[in-house]
Amino acid sequence: MSRLGVGVFWLLHWLPLALLSRVGEVFGLLLYVFALPRRRVVMTNLRLCFPDQSVAERRMLARRHFRGVGRSLLERGLVWWGSRERLERIVRIEGVERVRALQAAGKPVILLAPHFVGLDMGGTRVTMAFDIVSIYAKQKKNPVLDRWLYHGRSRFGDQLLLSRQEGVRGTVKAMKSGRPFYYLPDMDYGRRDAIFVPFFGVQAATITGLSRLARVAGAAVLPCVTRMLPGGQGYVVEIGEAWGDFPTVDVEADTRRMNAWIESMVRTMPEQYYWVHRRFKTRPEGEPKLY
């Protein structure tokens, strides 16, 4: 991203949300038409995950997905420059009391946040409620974007952003000190620390960190899902009840449970999951590439 691009984001964030949302959806449809490599990734993912749908149904779902992606991209300016008051109006958060009750009891907390298109907006809203710890992947190829992403994730409160290279020790220490961990473990990070478990019936390389971190830190796992609402209605962050009987002694079973829960959430709003990611890039030995 160039400085000119940042300037465009700054100008757009002044628009009323209803208008900004419509502009974002149009931008997303343009991406659907012209971003052919990403469209192929999306269509491959949808074919694998929704084999019972017709090609026409999957294309319609893909267009709806790109409309949401376009919105999430152009509304990023709100994350970077929107006032606290405006963001609190745009993004409603539910379930804060569940986290506060666990904090009061001295219980570490993991917020399990799958990759839906409203993730950045939801993450910013969470930082307005809590001082959290999260993992930050540095955008080495785009220092301008890296600067603004970091700014957006740290502008409210006292946030602790750790790199993946810093390992789990800092994360566990932060959780034990009372910081909820905003955790996004549902992407294909390769074979390291991953096992193959089903996601929509397809073997997916999935990191086992949720189970391991919950055990080491003695943390409760609370689902945290951000839903993008139609038009100018904004977003809602839903923090659910803590999972019972988690973690267990079976890391694979725990990881299967995580993927099954994410799948159940995706089915409630399939157009909003981050299908532009090559979720099935890493394959079991001997299996052909899917992308």
Side-chain angles (χ1 to χ4, degrees):
M1 177 179 289
S2 66
R3 295 183 185 278
L4 176 61
V6 172
V8 171
F9 277 86
W10 182 81
L11 289 172
L12 288 173
H13 99 278
W14 293 106
L15 294 177
L17 183 62
L19 177 56
L20 179 57
S21 297
R22 288 196 291 272
V23 173
E25 289 184 352
V26 172
F27 176 61
L29 290 175
L30 291 174
L31 291 177
Y32 174 82
V33 173
F34 294 107
L36 295 181
R38 284 298 158 185
R39 190 173 79 196
R40 292 190 192 101
V41 170
V42 170
M43 293 304 298
T44 298
N45 285 335
L46 296 181
R47 174 177 57 81
L48 293 169
C49 294
F50 301 102
D52 294 335
Q53 290 188 357
S54 67
V55 173
E57 288 173 325
R58 292 196 290 267
R59 284 176 179 162
M60 185 179 299
L61 178 55
R63 286 193 291 271
R64 289 163 56 203
H65 173 63
F66 272 96
R67 288 168 64 187
V69 169
R71 271 192 61 183
S72 70
L73 289 174
L74 294 196
E75 292 172 17
R76 186 163 284 168
L78 294 169
V79 172
W80 294 346
W81 296 291
S83 68
R84 174 183 285 270
E85 293 74 21
R86 188 180 185 193
L87 288 170
E88 286 177 342
R89 290 195 304 270
I90 290 173
V91 190
R92 186 173 78 254
I93 187 167
E94 301 173 351
V96 168
E97 70 283 353
R98 296 186 174 114
V99 178
R100 298 211 188 282
L102 290 167
Q103 288 178 314
K107 182 75 170 177
V109 172
I110 298 175
L111 296 175
L112 171 57
H115 277 81
F116 289 99
V117 293
L119 184 72
D120 284 336
M121 194 72 79
T124 296
R125 186 63 182 86
V126 167
T127 65
M128 296 165 66
F130 309 103
D131 291 335
I132 66 169
V133 57
S134 61
I135 302 296
Y136 176 71
K138 190 174 181 63
Q139 307 294 312
K140 297 180 180 179
K141 295 182 179 180
N142 195 325
V144 175
L145 178 61
D146 183 74
R147 173 190 169 190
W148 286 105
L149 287 175
Y150 191 94
H151 165 75
R153 295 171 186 178
S154 59
R155 61 188 293 236
F156 297 108
D158 175 27
Q159 310 308 324
L160 178 60
L161 277 65
L162 301 176
S163 71
R164 296 193 184 280
Q165 290 70 35
E166 292 179 82
V168 301
R169 184 173 300 176
T171 302
V172 171
K173 181 180 178 181
M175 279 194 284
K176 288 185 175 181
S177 73
R179 291 178 179 268
F181 177 32
Y182 193 66
Y183 192 33
L184 295 65
D186 60 321
M187 299 191 89
D188 188 331
Y189 297 107
R191 297 182 183 277
R192 182 179 176 183
D193 299 324
I195 60 175
F196 286 96
V197 292
F199 184 59
F200 281 90
V202 183
Q203 292 297 308
T206 308
I207 58 175
T208 58
L210 184 67
S211 177
R212 293 184 291 107
L213 285 167
R215 182 179 302 105
V216 171
V221 173
L222 280 67
C224 182
V225 174
T226 302
R227 295 181 183 273
M228 175 185 282
L229 304 176
Q233 297 180 53
Y235 299 76
V236 58
V237 182
E238 302 167 347
I239 301 175
E241 296 282 356
W243 282 4
D245 301 319
F246 192 94
T248 69
V249 296
D250 189 336
V251 173
E252 181 177 342
D254 290 345
T255 309
R256 284 176 175 269
R257 178 179 176 181
M258 180 188 76
N259 273 8
W261 171 78
I262 294 172
E263 181 179 331
S264 72
M265 291 296 100
V266 172
R267 291 187 184 279
T268 69
M269 47 177 177
E271 74 283 357
Q272 294 192 34
Y273 195 60
Y274 203 62
W275 298 115
V276 292
H277 170 62
R278 292 184 293 171
R279 182 64 186 91
F280 307 107
K281 177 179 65 175
T282 304
R283 307 309 309 141
E285 293 293 339
E287 284 197 12
K289 295 181 179 180
L290 296 174
Y291 304 101

